[in-house]
Amino acid sequence: MARIDLHLHTTCSDGSCTPAEVIARAQKANVTALAITDHDIVTGLPEAMEAGRNAGIDVIPGIEVSSRHGTSEVHILGYYLDWRDPTLLAHLDGYRQARHRRNPLIIEKLRALGIDITYEEVKTLAGTDAVGRPHIARVLMDKGYVGSSKEAFDRYLADGAAAHVPRELPSPAEAIQIIRAAHGIPVLAHPSWVDGKDGIYALCAQLKDAGLGGIEVHYSTHKPDQTAQYLDTAQRLGLLVTGGSDFHGVTKPDIEVGTGRGQLKVPEKLLEPLRAAAATGR
Ligand code: AMP
Ligand code: FE
Ligand code: FE
Ligand code: ZN
């Protein structure tokens, strides 16, 4: 049955499938429209749009930007943005530079723990300028230090783990503003990541004032009560409802394009309000 998927990563950031491979998987899953939302980079969009045209899949230009709110990492998705806008590209370049400042510090910590790894190896595996912790996790997997990406995060890379180093991040309001300035619709990604059970409504109300346009209500790991809670929050605040799998390939092996862990089905009808909001700048 037809569905959409508005949250997908490719080899241009920390995914392990090329944009064309993501489109091929989407076609198999009967996905009719999708958004490529790589972290801090838009280089996958031309290939994705070309493959989408050939497959009859509507490809929406997207981005995912990380921000920090208190102790939480808050990720903001941006849809239908002017992805060639020079100011946007300059901001994204700045975020990638912050990655290149942090990543070698993680490598230093790993080396101090006796692990044989260099940043050169990580950059070679990544093959893109948007280098993230999942790339480090993959090198650790390839070298046999860990059995899975989850183990790499749990033991070394997650907040509080042995080799964690925080990244300089914008505030959620800044991330929202940068997407709005490029005429994109900013959407709160995976709200379940935000600390504090009842903090979501307050956070979304605050972020709406800063220009937030929607909430990612449907997500691979959301339980039915979470989906219901976020849907209620979106409706009460007049925010758009979106959804996506957050497909990454090998670093999240249980999550597939379009279907997530098997239960995900983002309704096609959510696309038109998002498109209309982008067209009218609301
Ligand atoms: P970074 O952008 O380099 O700070 O790395 C964060 C990224 O790592 C997220 O966007 C996810 O793709 C991924 N990630 C975070 N936690 C985990 C985890 N426990 N297992 C696998 N991937 C994760
Ligand atoms: Fe990621
Ligand atoms: Fe995210
Ligand atoms: Zn993501």
Side-chain angles (χ1 to χ4, degrees):
M1 258 224 277
R3 61 184 81 227
I4 63 174
D5 189 339
L6 302 180
H7 191 159
L8 296 158
H9 296 273
T10 78
T11 45
C12 296
S13 69
D14 57 9
S16 64
C17 290
T18 64
E21 287 165 352
V22 170
I23 302 296
R25 284 178 184 242
Q27 200 169 21
K28 272 194 199 142
N30 286 318
V31 168
T32 56
L34 61 82
I36 299 295
T37 55
D38 275 315
H39 301 283
D40 303 338
I41 200 160
V42 293
T43 51
L45 293 177
E47 179 183 326
M49 287 171 163
E50 165 80 25
R53 268 191 297 276
N54 294 333
I57 295 174
D58 183 11
V59 175
I60 294 143
I63 194 74
E64 184 173 18
V65 171
S66 306
S67 69
R68 188 174 335 275
H69 176 76
T71 55
S72 289
E73 253 196 43
V74 170
H75 292 186
I76 307 291
L77 297 157
Y79 294 116
Y80 290 107
L81 71 184
D82 297 338
W83 55 279
R84 296 183 183 90
D85 179 80
T87 307
L88 173 74
L89 295 177
H91 281 295
L92 298 181
D93 186 60
Y95 299 150
R96 297 196 300 271
Q97 294 314 313
R99 292 173 172 278
H100 290 307
R101 286 192 291 276
R102 174 206 59 177
N103 295 338
L105 303 177
I106 297 177
I107 301 300
E108 269 178 41
K109 284 195 173 183
L110 289 170
R111 293 182 65 85
L113 292 166
I115 291 171
D116 171 31
I117 185 171
T118 67
Y119 193 38
E120 284 310 312
E121 288 172 324
V122 176
K123 284 194 285 191
T124 300
L125 176 135
T128 175
D129 191 44
V131 184
R133 283 177 285 170
H135 296 120
I136 300 174
R138 278 166 63 190
V139 173
L140 294 175
M141 283 163 72
D142 290 350
K143 291 192 153 190
Y145 286 108
V146 294
S148 66
S149 179
K150 184 180 183 313
E151 188 186 345
F153 273 86
D154 289 348
R155 284 176 65 183
Y156 301 114
L157 302 172
D159 194 357
H164 181 258
V165 179
R167 179 153 60 95
E168 305 148 49
L169 292 175
S171 68
E174 283 167 329
I176 287 167
Q177 194 275 326
I178 283 158
I179 290 165
R180 283 284 182 194
H183 303 112
I185 303 296
V187 170
L188 174 65
H190 39 67
S192 52
W193 283 29
V194 178
D195 290 343
K197 225 178 156 11
D198 43 28
I200 278 292
Y201 182 88
L203 175 67
C204 290
Q206 187 188 331
L207 296 186
K208 191 191 173 184
D209 290 339
L212 188 73
I215 305 177
E216 189 175 48
V217 168
H218 304 277
Y219 187 69
S220 292
T221 62
H222 285 174
K223 297 183 178 71
D225 63 317
Q226 291 176 307
T227 306
Q229 183 201 341
Y230 305 138
L231 183 60
D232 178 66
T233 301
Q235 286 169 344
R236 281 160 65 197
L237 289 169
L239 289 165
L240 294 159
V241 175
T242 74
S245 64
D246 207 0
F247 172 78
H248 278 73
V250 294
T251 55
K252 295 186 183 179
D254 55 332
I255 290 171
E256 191 42 77
V257 176
T259 51
R261 285 182 174 162
Q263 304 304 311
L264 185 72
K265 185 168 190 293
V266 185
E268 280 183 300
K269 66 171 191 222
L270 299 180
L271 195 57
E272 197 43 47
L274 183 64
R275 197 204 315 268
T280 57
R282 267 181 292 141

